[in-house]
Amino acid sequence: MSPVTPASVQKLQTALHAKAKESPSFRFYALYDKVYRKDVLTYAYECCHANGGAAGVDGQRFEDIEAYGVERWLDELAQELKSRTYQPLPVRRVFIPKPDGKQRPLGVPAIRDRTAEMAAVLILEPIFERSAAGTVRLSARPQRAGRGESSPQADLCWPSRNC
């Protein structure tokens, strides 16, 4: 089940999207402080948890985070981001079998890195979505198939857009 976008995150995304759409030449200079907002990080974690996935190089699983305390874990991540001491961990490399017998490499980032990346996407996506219609393939946009219609396989963590 996909998490519901909190009203505060939706409001922030709507404001960023509206500003980017109304003023295409506007430069967003102060976005970093929005990445470590409590509501943004909480929603980013919920999206990562809904997507599931294996543990990264640190071996930390979602069950481990829940046992440690999600709020405490998010507070520590927010503090690292705020103090600008956050450093992403190396990506764990695993190989998955292909139908022809060969193996394909797959990188598995740590959950903390996935959460920080998702938080950044939640802030940046509404800004760049403004200009995506004419410059990016539709298949590269959230909830869009290659022909421009909604895709049922789209990641459910992306809030729908009425552009």
Side-chain angles (χ1 to χ4, degrees), residues 45 49 60-73:
Y45 174 80
H49 191 274
Q60 193 172 47
R61 300 170 303 145
F62 287 106
E63 296 82 14
D64 300 332
I65 294 169
E66 289 165 8
Y68 183 74
V70 175
E71 294 296 317
R72 183 172 151 196
W73 186 84

Side-chain angles (χ1 to χ4, degrees), residues 38-50:
K38 181 78 168 166
D39 56 344
V40 172
L41 280 176
T42 301
Y43 181 59
Y45 174 80
E46 290 170 1
C47 287
C48 292
H49 191 274

Side-chain angles (χ1 to χ4, degrees), residues 35 41 44-45 48 54-60 62 65 73-74 77 80-81 85-92 107-121:
V35 172
L41 280 176
Y45 174 80
C48 292
V57 73
D58 60 353
Q60 193 172 47
F62 287 106
I65 294 169
W73 186 84
L74 287 172
L77 178 58
E80 282 184 54
L81 290 166
T85 59
Y86 169 80
Q87 290 289 315
L89 296 172
V91 175
R92 183 169 65 104
V108 181
I111 295 172
R112 67 191 282 274
D113 296 338
R114 283 184 256 171
T115 303
E117 289 167 9
M118 179 59 76
V121 166

Side-chain angles (χ1 to χ4, degrees), residues 84-154:
R84 298 179 187 251
T85 59
Y86 169 80
Q87 290 289 315
L89 296 172
V91 175
R92 183 169 65 104
R93 176 70 61 165
V94 295
F95 291 91
I96 57 174
K98 290 171 50 175
D100 64 1
K102 295 181 181 179
Q103 291 193 331
R104 180 174 72 86
L106 178 69
V108 181
I111 295 172
R112 67 191 282 274
D113 296 338
R114 283 184 256 171
T115 303
E117 289 167 9
M118 179 59 76
V121 166
L122 290 171
I123 300 304
L124 296 174
E125 191 264 337
I127 296 167
F128 291 102
E129 176 69 17
R130 171 200 59 80
S131 62
T135 59
V136 177
R137 293 186 331 261
L138 289 174
S139 60
R141 295 173 63 207
Q143 295 185 342
R144 300 287 177 204
R147 295 168 305 284
E149 67 269 9
S150 225
S151 169
Q153 293 83 21

